[in-house]
């Protein structure tokens, strides 16, 4: 019989020795919070014990505090019954005893947890057994708490079956109730986020909160049982509908795939995990991790014995899940005997890597089908790769006085829409509602100056619905402004974070000056006449293109370094270049890096180091960016990791700011923005 103790109300749990309360006044150990009533009057609320709500350490500290009490309960019960078992996840406790000892178990829990300030929540305490006959043995107080099913941590347990009709009939209903509650909670949360956005919450912050919720809300359900495919599809549908409202568009099939890919994916995912994609990997991963301890706790001598004991409820879904995974991860097998000896805690993430790889592989031809020119695929690649989408993530806490970069609401919406290849114009729909979509580029150098005016059509006459002209238009200075913001950030980072006071911008490097023959207004070569010992000679007029490198510095070893910054577009007027970018992720960046190496050959300046710092317009980093940052970041941990994380976040923000500025400036502007 299982005695299920759920959710003991948190009292004043005894402090854990050696652990200081977070957020507390160091002089008093008291945290003061403020409650504001309906009329605006504030009252202090002092917390003198425990930790603050939301403290990430609270689960670990709670577990440490109650572990001795749980051990004493288990030891005492084993004195009564050698087969007794005690399991706990924080304040959710499951006790397995024979019916005759159920009342003793309840008394022990009260006795051991009372001094910790924890009391039994009678309303959530349940008693369950696979045989209905156990009910007659129970005391009257426990008989009233009889349950026909056994949920644990919000999940139905299909592996634990009762032998009487009432319980058997309740099992499917239990799972349906759990999944339905999850959908109801999801929609309520999404509605709250949209309401908060209407009240001023930035869209970019709304997506962060949503992603955190979605990625964790049903993990316990997915790992606990092999959920129905239809339900997983329903969950994903609700998630995708929310993103449609968030971005003022109905996501296409390829956009939905991109939405669910990891942020570091080659194809520019948005890291909103799909329940349907996780279904099999999560279920299998939980068994890879837990089969051994579960079998040991239940005193099975081998894994096969466990699987035989739960043939219908365990073996069949494991076989189904493994079959699906083998379609994406060739050679995969669920080896129960191996797992009985050695649990595999990383299997779920490894299986998901295979799932994501299969989804990416299928997305490539789908994007080419959307646009045979390769432009769609090239832009998806340009949004992908490590750290390209760091703007989606919270920024690591900065150091005192450090400038924090962030995206405005308009920039955030534009970045998200551009990252999912939402059609242009009207990256901000209110522009289109007020004045209609742009027919020509509205870039201009200053208020009242002449507009660019180029028609927003592609070479074949089709509408330029993705803003490909706008993101590289030189009118208005937006291209240069984006470049200069990144240049100045690099200089400031080298000086203020890395301690290189020698860092300067726009330095002339004579060794790399480029001489060429001057031309006249018609493009004809220019010549002049010079007197020589052999008489007048006609010689070319030479001009020089001075080499001005974006950032110069001297590193800690005395090496002169030059950083040359560039943004480049995977989609351009060069159809061949666009197709190359569609065939190879990062091709646009690598070609620009190669160009800079040729422009500044090392043999002309052998004692200097050139760093081409190239970023694609949608966010992908060139291959030399990360090594440069790692080389010059502070060596000591944990500061080094924090510095690198903030640097990559800043670069992502600057890139998306620049892209948004170019796209939005091409829009017909409303009267008020």
């Amino acid at each position: 019989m299982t005695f299920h103790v759920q959710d003991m109300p948190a009292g004043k749990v005894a402090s854990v020795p050696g652990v200081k309360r977070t957020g507390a006044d160091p002089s008093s150990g008291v945290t003061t919070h403020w409650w504001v009533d309906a009329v605006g009057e504030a009252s202090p609320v002092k917390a003198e014990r425990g930790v603050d709500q939301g403290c990430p350490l609270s689960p670990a500290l709670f577990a440490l505090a109650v572990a001795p009490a749980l051990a004493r309960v288990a030891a005492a019960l084993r004195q009564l019954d050698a087969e007794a078992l005690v399991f706990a996840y924080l304040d959710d406790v499951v006790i397995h005893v024979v019916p005759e000892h159920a009342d003793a178990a309840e008394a022990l829990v009260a006795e051991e947890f009372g001094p910790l300030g924890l009391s039994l929540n009678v309303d959530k305490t349940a008693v369950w057994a696979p045989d209905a006959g156990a009910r007659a043995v129970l005391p009257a107080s426990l008989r009233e708490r009889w349950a026909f099913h056994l949920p644990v941590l919000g999940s139905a347990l299909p592996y634990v079956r009762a032998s009487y009709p009432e319980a058997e009939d309740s099992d499917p209903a239990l799972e349906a109730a759990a999944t339905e509650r999850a959908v109801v909670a999801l929609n309520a949360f999404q509605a709250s986020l949209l309401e908060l956005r209407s009240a001023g919450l930035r869209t970019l912050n709304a997506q962060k909160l949503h992603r955190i919720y979605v990625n964790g809300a049903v993990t316990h359900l997915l790992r606990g049982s092999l959920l129905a495919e239809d339900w997983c599809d329903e969950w994903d549908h609700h998630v995708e509908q929310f993103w449609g409202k968030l971005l003022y568009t109905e996501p296409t099939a390829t956009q939905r795939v991109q939405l669910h890919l990891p942020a570091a994916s080659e194809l520019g995912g948005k890291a909103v995990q799909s329940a349907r994609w996780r279904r099999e990997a999560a279920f299998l991963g939980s068994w890879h991790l837990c089969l051994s301890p579960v079998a040991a706790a239940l005193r099975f001598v081998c894994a096969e014995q466990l699987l035989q004991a739960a043939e219908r409820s365990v073996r069949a879904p494991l076989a189904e899940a493994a079959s699906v995974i083998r379609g994406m991860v060739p050679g995969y097998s669920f080896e129960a005997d191996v797992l009985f000896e050695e649990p595999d805690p990383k299997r779920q993430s490894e299986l998901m890597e295979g799932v994501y790889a299969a989804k990416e592989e299928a997305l490539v031809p789908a994007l080419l089908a959307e646009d045979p020119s390769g432009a769609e695929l090239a832009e998806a690649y340009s949004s992908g790769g490590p750290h390209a989408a760091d703007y989606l993530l919270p920024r690591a806490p900065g150091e005192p006085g450090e400038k924090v970069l962030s995206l405005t609401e308009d920039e955030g919406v534009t970045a998200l829409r551009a990252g999912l290849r939402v059609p242009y114009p009207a990256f901000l729909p209110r522009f289109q509602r007020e004045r209609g979509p742009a027919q020509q580029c509205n870039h201009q150098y200053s208020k009242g100056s002449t507009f660019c005016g180029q028609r927003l059509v592609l070479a074949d006459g089709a509408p330029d619905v993705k803003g490909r002209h706008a993101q590289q238009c030189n009118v208005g200075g937006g291209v240069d402004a984006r470049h200069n913001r990144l240049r100045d950030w690099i200089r400031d980072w080298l000086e203020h974070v890395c301690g290189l006071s020698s860092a300067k911008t726009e330095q002339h490097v004579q060794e790399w000056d480029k001489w060429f023959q001057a031309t006249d207004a018609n493009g004809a070569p220019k010549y002049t006449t010079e007197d020589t010992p052999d008489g007048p000679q006609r010689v070319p007029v030479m001009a020089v293109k001075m080499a001005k490198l974006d950032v110069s510095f001297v590193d800690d070893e005395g090496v002169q370094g030059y950083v040359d910054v560039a943004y480049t577009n995977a989609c351009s007027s060069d159809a061949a270049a666009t197709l190359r970018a569609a065939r190879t992720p990062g091709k646009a960046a690598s070609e620009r890096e190669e160009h800079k190496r040729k422009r500044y050959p090392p043999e002309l300046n052998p004692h200097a180091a050139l760093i081409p710092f190239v970023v694609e317009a949608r966010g992908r980093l060139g291959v030399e960016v990360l090594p440069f940052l790692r080389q010059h970041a502070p060596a000591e941990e944990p500061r080094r990791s924090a510095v690198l994380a903030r640097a990559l976040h800043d670069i992502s923000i600057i890139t998306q700011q620049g892209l948004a500025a170019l796209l939005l400036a091409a829009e017909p502007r409303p009267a008020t923005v």
Side-chain angles (χ1 to χ4, degrees), residues 248-398:
Y248 312 102
T249 186
E250 181 69 28
T252 65
T254 58
Q255 288 165 353
R256 291 196 295 271
V257 173
Q258 206 176 340
L259 177 69
H260 297 309
L261 288 172
S265 141
E266 293 288 7
L267 288 164
K270 298 297 171 279
V272 182
Q273 294 185 15
S274 160
R276 184 66 182 84
W277 294 9
R278 287 193 290 165
R279 175 179 179 261
E280 295 83 14
F283 180 69
L284 291 169
S286 68
W287 280 104
H288 277 273
L289 175 63
C290 300
L291 186 146
S292 177
V294 168
L298 299 178
R299 299 177 175 87
F300 289 111
V301 298
C302 66
E304 183 62 25
Q305 186 183 7
L306 171 63
L307 296 181
Q308 288 178 357
E311 176 75 26
R312 179 170 63 92
S313 60
V314 176
R315 191 188 291 273
L318 283 174
E320 178 188 343
S323 175
V324 174
I325 290 295
R326 277 196 298 274
M328 293 179 278
V329 185
Y332 168 76
S333 64
F334 188 87
E335 299 177 359
D337 290 333
V338 175
L339 293 173
F340 186 74
E341 301 295 333
E342 187 175 353
D344 187 351
K346 297 182 179 180
R347 179 57 71 175
Q348 180 176 340
S349 60
E350 292 170 352
L351 293 178
M352 285 307 302
E353 289 179 5
V355 172
Y356 288 134
K359 298 298 182 182
E360 281 191 343
E361 185 178 356
L363 183 57
V364 170
L367 290 172
L368 284 173
E370 282 188 8
D371 186 351
S373 74
E376 285 294 297
L377 181 55
E379 288 196 335
Y381 279 143
S382 189
S383 300
H387 307 291
D390 276 16
Y391 71 95
L392 298 172
L393 307 174
R395 188 180 188 270

Side-chain angles (χ1 to χ4, degrees), residues 100-341:
E100 292 82 357
H101 299 318
D103 55 346
E106 182 177 31
L108 280 168
V109 169
E111 178 184 342
E112 292 292 345
F113 284 87
L116 301 180
L118 298 173
S119 59
L120 190 65
N121 190 336
V122 176
D123 293 336
K124 292 188 175 182
T125 299
V127 179
W128 179 91
D131 183 357
R135 188 173 185 179
V137 186
L138 295 172
S141 60
L142 292 179
R143 207 177 303 141
E144 295 174 354
R145 303 175 204 166
W146 185 265
F148 292 112
H149 49 253
L150 181 62
V152 174
L153 298 174
S155 297
L157 296 182
Y159 330 111
V160 185
R161 299 287 184 179
S163 60
Y164 48 98
E166 298 96 328
E168 290 181 353
D169 293 343
S170 71
D171 284 341
L174 176 62
E175 181 172 311
T179 52
E180 178 59 28
R181 284 196 304 272
V183 172
V184 170
L186 169 68
N187 286 329
F189 181 76
Q190 293 182 158
S192 296
L193 283 181
L194 293 173
E195 185 177 355
L196 287 170
R197 187 178 69 162
S198 67
L201 178 68
R202 290 185 182 180
T203 297
L204 205 58
N205 290 333
Q207 72 80 26
K208 292 173 185 174
L209 295 170
H210 181 261
R211 180 165 43 79
I212 292 170
Y213 179 90
V214 168
N215 291 358
V218 292
T219 298
H220 64 297
L221 298 176
L222 292 166
R223 287 175 66 85
S225 40
L226 189 63
L227 298 179
E229 293 179 345
D230 289 347
W231 180 86
C232 293
D233 291 336
E234 180 189 1
W235 174 272
D236 288 349
H237 176 68
H238 287 292
V239 169
E240 292 157 4
Q241 277 191 319
F242 171 81
W243 269 78
K245 294 174 182 177
L246 205 65
L247 300 180
Y248 312 102
T249 186
E250 181 69 28
T252 65
T254 58
Q255 288 165 353
R256 291 196 295 271
V257 173
Q258 206 176 340
L259 177 69
H260 297 309
L261 288 172
S265 141
E266 293 288 7
L267 288 164
K270 298 297 171 279
V272 182
Q273 294 185 15
S274 160
R276 184 66 182 84
W277 294 9
R278 287 193 290 165
R279 175 179 179 261
E280 295 83 14
F283 180 69
L284 291 169
S286 68
W287 280 104
H288 277 273
L289 175 63
C290 300
L291 186 146
S292 177
V294 168
L298 299 178
R299 299 177 175 87
F300 289 111
V301 298
C302 66
E304 183 62 25
Q305 186 183 7
L306 171 63
L307 296 181
Q308 288 178 357
E311 176 75 26
R312 179 170 63 92
S313 60
V314 176
R315 191 188 291 273
L318 283 174
E320 178 188 343
S323 175
V324 174
I325 290 295
R326 277 196 298 274
M328 293 179 278
V329 185
Y332 168 76
S333 64
F334 188 87
E335 299 177 359
D337 290 333
V338 175
L339 293 173
F340 186 74
E341 301 295 333

Side-chain angles (χ1 to χ4, degrees), residues 401-669:
E402 185 177 359
K403 184 180 180 181
V404 177
L405 303 180
S406 63
L407 297 175
T408 66
E409 170 64 6
D410 288 359
E411 290 168 345
V413 172
T414 303
L416 289 171
R417 285 168 63 92
L420 285 174
R421 304 167 294 99
V422 173
Y424 183 88
F427 275 93
L428 294 180
R430 68 172 187 269
F431 290 4
Q432 185 168 349
R433 285 197 302 268
E434 184 162 331
R435 294 192 176 183
Q439 302 299 317
Q440 60 186 25
C441 179
N442 285 274
H443 284 183
Q444 61 184 146
Y445 284 106
S446 60
K447 189 175 181 180
S449 65
T450 304
F451 290 98
C452 167
Q454 178 167 318
R455 290 182 62 228
L456 295 179
V457 296
L458 302 176
D460 60 359
D464 181 7
V465 296
K466 298 296 176 70
R468 288 164 188 158
H469 164 77
Q471 67 186 17
Q472 53 194 315
C473 177
N474 288 313
V475 175
V479 170
D480 290 340
R482 175 182 59 182
H483 167 278
N484 293 344
R485 280 196 297 271
L486 183 56
R487 175 201 64 194
D488 294 345
W489 179 91
I490 294 170
R491 192 210 71 84
D492 291 345
W493 186 77
L494 288 171
E495 178 179 1
H496 300 300
V497 178
C498 306
L500 301 179
S501 59
S502 60
K504 297 178 175 61
T505 60
E506 299 295 328
Q507 296 299 294
H508 178 211
V509 184
Q510 187 174 349
E511 294 86 342
W512 282 325
D513 285 347
K514 187 175 182 179
W515 290 89
F516 57 95
Q517 187 173 0
T519 58
D520 60 22
N522 297 318
K526 295 175 68 174
Y527 294 89
T528 187
T529 301
E530 293 183 358
D531 292 328
T532 71
D534 299 325
Q537 295 287 332
R538 189 167 178 261
V539 296
V541 176
M542 302 301 293
V544 62
K545 183 177 182 181
M546 297 178 63
K548 284 192 173 183
L549 280 295
D550 289 314
V551 180
S552 72
F553 65 97
V554 179
D555 67 17
D556 292 334
E557 297 179 356
V559 177
Q560 176 70 63
Y562 295 102
V563 181
D564 207 46
V565 176
Y567 278 101
T568 187
N569 290 282
C571 291
S572 68
S573 56
D574 186 341
T578 299
L579 194 57
R580 291 195 300 273
R583 289 172 177 161
T584 307
K587 186 65 172 178
S590 65
E591 288 184 352
R592 193 62 177 270
E593 289 168 343
E594 183 181 0
H595 171 78
K596 289 190 175 296
R597 293 281 183 196
K598 291 179 179 179
R599 172 64 181 88
Y600 307 113
E603 60 269 19
L604 296 182
N605 198 0
H607 301 296
L610 174 71
I611 302 96
F613 200 103
V614 180
V615 183
E616 295 191 9
R618 302 267 167 157
R620 178 179 285 274
L621 302 179
V623 297
E624 303 218 29
V625 172
L626 265 174
F628 168 77
L629 297 174
R630 289 168 177 161
Q631 180 182 353
H632 298 289
E636 67 277 8
E637 293 286 5
R639 184 172 179 247
R640 174 180 174 84
S641 296
V643 163
L644 286 171
R646 290 194 295 268
L648 291 162
H649 190 272
D650 286 353
I651 294 168
S652 183
I653 291 289
I654 291 169
T655 300
Q656 297 304 325
Q657 283 177 331
L659 177 63
L662 290 166
L663 293 173
L664 295 178
E667 294 273 11
R669 309 310 296 257

